[in-house]
Amino acid sequence: MNLRSSWVAETGQTREDTRLNQVGATTMINPVQVRSGILPGSYDGMYRLAGFWTTGATAMAATVSEGRAVIQGDISQGVYPVSLPASVQVTFAPGDAQYGRIDLIVLKIYDNLYDSSNRNEAKVEIIQGVAGPTPVAPATPPRSLPLYEVTVPAGASAGNGGIPWNTALKDLRTAVVSVGGILPVEGPVLRGAYPGQYQDTADGQIQRWDGGKWVSYPAAVGGIIPASASTLPASYTGQYRATASGPLQRWNGSAWAPAYPGPYFNDSLDGGYTISTTYVNTLVDRAENPLSVTFVAPESRQAILTFGSKIELALNSGTTGIASTAYMCVRITQGTAVHRELDDELAACASKSADPTDAVSASTTQRIHSLTPGATYTVTAYYRSSNANVRAWFDNSFIQVTPQY
């Protein structure tokens, strides 16, 4: 059965022809013209594009399966809907004696109004290429939709092995859908026709045309770019992406950074002491002075602060019976400005009554508030003893800041 078409024949178009070709598939390429292509779909739903699937039938013939398509003419000619209700065979000419060639299988519209062919019909045809040492496919004729390139080896014939179908076919088919539909990409990726147009790429990514380029779906709607597509460029500040290791990242305008930074942590396993009764950030015998950590304030303007140390109180030589307390506190600054000052009420501390005590671990957890989002703060540890005759020892000291999101 021949390829069926509508609005080509001057007479004889049947109601069946018209019904078969109500395709409604017009993927725009400009305000007037649409993309030529094949309607997607398959019998079992497993494939994007089953229409006009082509396989080898005999040594020199191929079977083109059924399908529906639209073929765009020149800008003033309109679009031709076609359908093939049953598969058809096409037969190739024998190969050149010396060189191979590349032929083209096409859906071709003959319209005498434009081509003076004295024909008004649609056909599945072979456009034969030119044999040569480096053959190329022939040009696609006007009002035609290319389906496959077929490589015909030198000397190929029915009695000489024919065409090696497993390697000879190059699929050129492209899909079309109705206006507003999501286009399954098969073949070349073409420019979009309007902002807001969508397509489904061969690797399963939904993309949106933003007026100048195809943007992956997560970027277009504010979703999270999956780790499988993490090489995609960012589209706007504040965009998120997943990473293979798990943590989310956020585009800050120039680089991908952790979406939820922290917790921020620093510690020292080196012990040291002070006899100062006012707060100092340097301990005697400790090499790591001062102990501090910096953090970036989150949008919530809040963070959880935890700090502490193993504390021991030791009397100076020759001194007895002195009660004392050791304090560890932190000062929070933003640049040169103090955000929170030292205060015994906010300190982690340990006390002894009169005699030396064993070491104890002391820590405290507090909420930091009224931060400036995006600003960098520094938390620095300070220490003091309540009595200058008592050494306040601090070991295994730490500071941790956990931003609240």
Side-chain angles (χ1 to χ4, degrees):
M1 182 179 290
N2 288 336
L3 187 65
R4 308 286 283 270
S5 63
S6 294
W7 318 120
V8 177
E10 294 178 278
T11 61
Q13 178 174 319
T14 68
R15 286 176 293 174
E16 187 180 63
D17 289 332
T18 305
R19 288 195 302 269
L20 282 170
N21 289 295
Q22 296 307 304
V23 293
T26 51
T27 300
M28 306 301 295
I29 58 174
N30 59 45
V32 179
Q33 293 176 293
V34 302
R35 178 176 178 172
S36 296
I38 298 164
L39 274 68
S42 59
Y43 288 108
D44 53 12
M46 293 180 61
Y47 304 98
R48 293 174 181 241
L49 205 58
F52 302 100
W53 177 260
T54 298
T55 56
T58 65
M60 297 300 293
T63 298
V64 180
S65 65
E66 60 273 18
R68 296 198 293 175
V70 291
I71 300 171
Q72 174 66 54
D74 290 342
I75 196 165
S76 62
Q77 295 173 4
V79 60
Y80 300 84
V82 299
S83 62
L84 186 64
S87 62
V88 65
Q89 277 196 7
V90 289
T91 301
F92 293 81
D96 180 78
Q98 186 175 6
Y99 297 114
R101 71 170 192 271
I102 298 175
D103 293 350
L104 201 62
I105 303 175
V106 301
L107 306 180
K108 181 172 173 56
I109 297 293
Y110 288 92
D111 190 340
N112 186 56
L113 184 62
Y114 302 111
D115 57 24
S116 302
S117 62
N118 292 321
R119 301 170 66 182
N120 291 290
E121 60 179 336
K123 300 287 288 184
V124 180
E125 288 193 349
I126 296 172
I127 308 301
Q128 187 170 309
V130 177
T134 54
V136 296
T140 303
R143 293 172 299 283
S144 298
L145 176 65
L147 300 178
Y148 285 84
E149 289 180 4
V150 180
T151 299
V152 180
S157 67
N160 192 29
I163 297 171
W165 294 112
N166 288 338
T167 57
L169 291 167
K170 179 181 178 181
D171 194 347
L172 303 179
R173 296 172 304 152
T174 56
V176 293
V177 292
S178 299
V179 171
I182 298 177
L183 178 69
V185 176
E186 294 288 331
V189 177
L190 302 183
R191 290 176 55 84
Y194 56 89
Q197 183 179 0
Y198 285 85
Q199 69 176 16
D200 183 7
T201 66
D203 61 357
Q205 293 296 311
I206 297 295
Q207 294 181 332
R208 179 184 182 273
W209 182 255
D210 70 356
K213 63 182 182 300
W214 288 108
V215 179
S216 291
Y217 176 85
V221 300
I224 298 172
I225 297 177
S228 60
S230 61
T231 57
L232 291 172
S235 298
Y236 58 88
T237 300
Q239 182 181 4
Y240 289 86
R241 74 173 182 181
T243 63
S245 58
L248 285 176
Q249 292 181 331
R250 180 180 182 274
W251 182 254
N252 63 17
S254 59
W256 288 106
Y260 303 104
Y264 302 87
F265 182 86
N266 195 13
D267 68 344
S268 174
L269 302 180
D270 190 16
Y273 73 91
T274 184
I275 57 173
S276 173
T277 57
T278 59
Y279 278 108
V280 293
N281 61 12
T282 300
L283 294 175
V284 179
D285 287 345
R286 176 185 280 180
E288 303 164 351
N289 287 301
L291 176 65
S292 64
V293 66
T294 60
F295 71 95
V296 178
E299 293 295 325
S300 69
R301 306 180 64 184
Q302 301 181 76
I304 299 300
L305 167 67
T306 302
F307 60 89
S309 186
K310 183 173 76 173
I311 300 173
E312 186 174 2
L313 292 156
L315 297 174
N316 287 342
S317 177
T319 314
T320 60
I322 300 176
S324 59
T325 302
Y327 297 88
M328 176 184 180
C329 197
V330 296
R331 174 180 285 152
I332 304 174
T333 56
Q334 182 198 349
T336 58
V338 176
H339 179 76
R340 198 181 84 172
E341 191 52 277
L342 301 163
D343 188 330
D344 286 350
E345 292 292 326
L346 302 173
C349 59
S351 301
K352 78 175 189 67
S353 55
D355 297 314
T357 59
D358 293 333
V360 297
S361 292
S363 65
T364 182
T365 299
Q366 302 157 11
R367 182 173 68 93
I368 313 172
H369 56 83
S370 303
L371 301 170
T372 300
T376 299
Y377 291 81
T378 300
V379 181
T380 304
Y382 283 76
Y383 317 87
R384 80 176 189 89
S385 173
S386 64
N387 193 300
N389 289 311
V390 179
R391 292 184 179 185
W393 283 87
F394 300 87
D395 197 2
N396 298 346
S397 305
F398 74 94
I399 305 172
Q400 178 171 308
V401 178
T402 304
Q404 299 300 287
Y405 296 100

